[in-house]
Amino acid sequence: MPHVLAVAVGQPFMVKNGDVEIHNVHAEASVNAAFNFATPPGSSRQTAFGAAEFVRVKCDVHPWMTAHVAV
């Protein structure tokens, strides 16, 4: 949550998994480097985007879980 959010170029982008199931975070970026990493239960991971673009972020484990990031 939320499904749409905005972050500034270079701003830390924190992903947290508060569920009891594993998820993955798959950013389908084209200007920035795409990434795809697992988030085990209770974990968190931080990254950042280096350029402006709209990025679709999804979970490959649960295909109904998607978000959009405006960088």
Side-chain angles (χ1 to χ4, degrees):
M1 258 191 261
H3 297 289
V4 178
L5 63 131
V7 297
V9 171
Q11 177 182 350
F13 177 68
M14 175 69 70
V15 177
K16 298 179 182 181
N17 181 359
D19 291 343
V20 296
E21 295 185 42
I22 192 167
H23 295 287
N24 81 306
V25 181
H26 185 175
E28 298 176 325
S30 57
V31 176
N32 293 281
F35 56 82
N36 189 354
F37 55 81
T39 56
S43 70
S44 63
R45 187 160 172 180
Q46 182 174 302
T47 188
F49 297 98
E53 76 169 310
F54 290 98
V55 180
R56 180 175 181 240
V57 180
K58 65 179 187 168
C59 175
D60 294 325
V61 179
H62 305 98
W64 63 89
M65 300 177 80
T66 61
H68 299 275
V69 181
V71 182

